[in-house]
Amino acid sequence: MNAMKMDTATIDAKLAAFRARCSASGLRITPQRQEVYREMVRACDHPSAEMLHKRIVRRMPAVTLDTVYRTLGTLEAMGFVERVGAAGNSARYEANLTPHHHFVCKHCGDILDVFPGHFEPSGFARDLPKGCQLHSARVDMRGLCPKCARP
Ligand SMILES: [Zn+2]
């Protein structure tokens, strides 16, 4: 339903790019940082820091929720992950930076990716006030996911 799971080669390539950027910007490449990013790349459910932490402690019991929060902040500042319009109270994140929209289930909070079809960003430009330059556009749709819509 969500984006396809990524293969190991793609994940490794993304991690290598991350390590290269860390080195270039003088940021220490810690196992924790790599693990948070790896888990973000693998995730297709737009996890919150809490959701990520639960997955990471299984392999790295010493990683704290605070470390996950701080690492997500670092990754966001570096442009490796984006914050997704929060469905509930906690911010959700994703590492898939190809342009797409989101469908948020009002009942279970699941966030599904919707890839542009009818919603090409160029279509939005027409409706903008005169003089605006559009650089990106994202639609957050709300409703019930297939699981919750089932009677
Ligand atoms: Zn997404």
Side-chain angles (χ1 to χ4, degrees):
M1 193 179 309
N2 274 359
M4 260 194 321
K5 278 247 187 275
M6 262 188 209
D7 58 275
T8 322
T10 313
I11 295 173
D12 287 347
K14 283 184 171 271
L15 273 162
F18 173 61
R19 282 192 297 267
R21 267 287 299 285
C22 285
S23 307
S25 32
L27 203 72
R28 229 151 48 83
I29 305 163
T30 63
Q32 289 92 328
R33 279 191 179 134
Q34 291 196 77
E35 205 50 36
V36 170
Y37 184 54
R38 186 202 310 276
E39 206 52 56
M40 275 309 303
V41 170
R42 287 175 48 190
C44 44
D45 57 349
H46 311 83
S48 64
E50 291 82 2
M51 289 158 80
L52 266 188
H53 180 246
K54 279 203 190 95
R55 291 168 202 176
I56 293 166
V57 283
R58 280 188 227 137
R59 288 188 302 276
M60 299 179 95
V63 175
T64 63
L65 179 57
D66 191 54
T67 301
V68 175
Y69 269 118
R70 276 188 286 109
T71 306
L72 280 171
T74 307
L75 289 171
E76 191 186 6
M78 291 171 83
F80 280 95
V81 303
E82 269 179 11
R83 198 185 289 246
V84 174
N89 290 324
S90 46
R92 309 266 296 254
Y93 295 86
E94 72 179 337
N96 176 6
L97 306 179
T98 53
H100 65 276
H101 308 296
H102 288 135
F103 180 90
V104 183
C105 178
K106 292 200 285 190
H107 188 247
C108 70
D110 267 8
I111 302 174
L112 310 182
D113 285 334
V114 179
F115 289 90
H118 297 292
F119 300 109
E120 283 297 338
S122 55
F124 291 105
R126 281 196 305 266
D127 302 327
L128 284 172
K130 254 199 168 55
C132 289
Q133 272 184 21
L134 184 67
H135 291 170
S136 69
R138 171 172 270 176
V139 176
D140 282 319
M141 291 161 262
R142 275 161 218 282
L144 295 175
C145 75
K147 272 181 287 158
C148 297
R150 216 180 295 148

